[in-house]
Amino acid sequence: MSLSCREDPEEPLTHIDEPKSLLVREALNSPAEARALTEIMLTIFRINGRLLEKGDALVRTLGITSAQWQVLGAVSLAAKPLTAPQIAEAMGITRQGVQKQLDRMTKEDLFEKRPNPRHERSSLYWPTPKGQQIYSEAMRRESLWAQELSEGLSGPELQGALDLLRQLHRRLEAPLPKEGE
Amino acid sequence: MSLSCREDPEEPLTHIDEPKSLLVREALNSPAEARALTEIMLTIFRINGRLLEKGDALVRTLGITSAQWQVLGAVSLAAKPLTAPQIAEAMGITRQGVQKQLDRMTKEDLFEKRPNPRHERSSLYWPTPKGQQIYSEAMRRESLWAQELSEGLSGPELQGALDLLRQLHRRLEAPLPKEGE
DNA sequence: CGCCATTTGACAACTTGTTTCCATATTCGT
DNA sequence: ACGAATATGGAAACAAGTTGTCAAATGGCG
């Protein structure tokens, strides 16, 4: 949280060669659009980190983590019981990761397993009344927080940013061309 | 990657009660700005996931992970050798996490330890020529990728989205009010 | 100078999620 | 109906990061 060892930024210590020059040269060669997009990507990383912090803090006193909140949200949004792989697909993470959260939340009486008529081993999961109550309280808090956070932001600008981000997301989802692996 | 078990979305399976109604009610109570912001946050989560995938794929054939790329970037941006805690501060993670990456990369001849005149045990780290070369190639690939990805996107819209995201980031950084913990 | 709080490195345990491997269940083509 | 391809769960290993503990180094203050 603090750099006690080298506060003053100018004194030249031991340095021999400078990769920075390469970084700068590459950046200047790019068109403005690509540079803006790179900045957007970096900002998304930073915001993502902050959002995870805030999200965890928001639901901590409900006894869940934001990962568990997300699982509750995926099932609630589907409005019907889902299997672990279905939830994983909806959340964009692996089924094993989802399964761990489901196991924990089932043990904590937030989810219940139901027999799946379509599959002998792959149970369906549905929130218990306790799980539903916790989820709705989480959503209430999120809603209040979003209202506070959006205070004074321009509606059209928000919508414009959302449109662009969705476009970006669409461009990112399809191709993963193996990169000469 | 595919939901084989429940493709048809309409057939009512076993469901008893519906938290969805709560979700929808909350959403409709919120002003449009808050709803757009919530959508932006969800989209950021999704884009973040895709970006991490792509970033890893981009540098995989260079023999580094995106975490290591980030460490190289932090030191290159500073343009002088840094200690592990300084890099951690710059990256927003803990010094132990950075130290793990530094240890690995030092072993792989991507970083070299230099004696720190200010501290007997806390070494300075600087990329070796090999590390510099790998980093500059990573940046070259990133630049090409960003150009490709930004193709056809409107410059002003990109800039507008960036401005809004930065504003959002600024609003997210300060207050973490403990939430009645 | 000496005490003491802070910083740091080293180490270990834990968390969250991914990957890999295997055994079983399911689906689909013939 | 049979067999192959695909899904699935479970366990184990791995990856990246956090937290906690301890000892050594540093720096400030009386």
Side-chain angles (χ1 to χ4, degrees), chain A residues 115-158:
Chain A
N116 184 351
R118 310 295 217 86
H119 197 294
E120 190 172 302
R121 294 191 317 173
S122 189
S123 299
L124 293 165
Y125 291 87
W126 187 245
T128 62
K130 181 179 170 191
Q132 294 173 32
Q133 182 191 331
I134 285 179
Y135 179 66
S136 74
E137 170 62 15
M139 291 310 295
R140 195 188 64 82
R141 293 187 186 182
E142 192 278 339
S143 173
L144 292 176
W145 177 52
Q147 284 180 45
E148 192 184 314
L149 198 60
S150 65
E151 202 107 327
L153 292 180
S154 139
E157 281 178 25
L158 282 162

Side-chain angles (χ1 to χ4, degrees), chain A residues 42-111:
Chain A
L42 293 175
T43 306
I44 284 177
F45 286 141
R46 299 190 192 107
I47 293 178
N48 187 74
R50 308 252 186 218
L51 286 180
L52 290 182
E53 273 179 33
K54 299 286 179 174
D56 269 325
L58 207 61
V59 296
R60 185 169 302 140
T61 54
L62 295 173
I64 60 175
T65 66
S66 48
Q68 296 171 337
W69 181 13
Q70 226 184 328
V71 174
L72 278 166
V75 178
S76 297
L77 189 62
K80 70 186 172 214
L82 298 180
T83 66
Q86 289 173 331
I87 298 170
E89 169 71 15
M91 289 175 60
I93 67 177
T94 59
R95 65 198 169 82
Q96 289 89 338
V98 168
Q99 191 68 56
K100 285 184 185 178
Q101 297 301 332
L102 283 174
D103 288 345
R104 174 182 312 183
M105 286 196 282
T106 301
K107 194 174 301 173
E108 289 170 354
D109 192 33
L110 300 180
F111 268 97

